[in-house]
Amino acid sequence: MTVSELEQFTAWIEDVIRRRGYDIDSPRGGGKSRLADEAGVHRAAITRLLQRQSMPDLETMRRLAHVLGIPVREMLIRSGRLTEEELPLPPAPDAHDRPGAGGAERITLEEAAAALGVPADQREMFMRVAGQFLPAEPVEQELPARRTRRL
């Protein structure tokens, strides 16, 4: 790891920390201590990182990633510990593999309820509520104005 890599990583992580609401700039802001407490790491690890003295170890990175809501993969790549080639993303599912996309059949609300484990006595209510979020089916013929639904 070079000084430049540590500098780039620290600049990025500082920005993330600030955006997450931790006051790391004022001496009495308490942001460093709060971040360390929430991540379950020693405050000295946070201080060394922010003072650009050392890169956190793997466990500290994992804990910080969790608290900051960042994928561990991104932390490892941005820190220079691993490259994107060494830590590839899983392949995206083919559009034809997803229900409702690329001509594949969509599952019914009944099938969704069963797949989600909705109890049989609550499936009707599940289907009524979930059905409200589905796009309207295309209307084959024009309805008279008095019969159209008001929103």
Side-chain angles (χ1 to χ4, degrees):
M1 172 192 46
T2 67
V3 174
S4 175
E5 287 173 330
L6 177 60
E7 178 67 34
Q8 288 176 356
F9 177 75
T10 303
W12 172 75
I13 199 72
E14 282 177 342
D15 183 54
V16 171
I17 292 168
R18 286 183 187 105
R19 283 187 282 133
R20 298 299 190 270
Y22 294 93
D23 182 2
I24 58 172
D25 298 311
S26 62
R28 302 237 186 257
K32 294 174 195 168
S33 295
R34 186 168 67 99
L35 177 60
D37 289 345
E38 290 178 11
V41 300
H42 198 279
R43 187 181 189 279
I46 304 297
T47 300
R48 284 192 303 272
L49 170 63
L50 297 177
Q51 290 179 349
R52 291 154 170 75
Q53 294 175 350
S54 69
M55 189 70 72
D57 62 27
L58 182 59
E59 182 60 19
T60 301
M61 276 196 187
R62 188 187 67 74
R63 290 172 180 243
L64 286 173
H66 177 73
V67 167
L68 297 171
I70 300 168
V72 175
R73 177 183 187 275
E74 185 172 359
M75 290 277 282
L76 293 170
I77 291 170
R78 287 188 177 261
S79 71
R81 294 201 177 215
L82 292 172
T83 66
E84 289 189 50
E85 292 77 29
E86 294 169 320
L87 200 56
L89 286 171
D94 186 10
H96 295 287
D97 294 339
R98 291 191 313 263
E105 280 299 312
R106 291 173 46 175
I107 65 172
T108 66
L109 288 174
E110 180 79 31
E111 291 167 333
L116 291 169
V118 176
D121 62 328
Q122 296 178 355
R123 286 189 183 170
E124 186 178 326
M125 181 185 350
F126 170 85
M127 291 187 304
R128 275 197 316 261
V129 172
Q132 296 175 20
F133 297 96
L134 294 176
E137 294 294 323
V139 179
E140 301 259 336
Q141 62 184 23
E142 189 70 31
L143 296 175
R146 67 180 184 276
R147 296 186 61 199
T148 58
R149 194 170 81 177
R150 295 184 188 180
L151 299 177

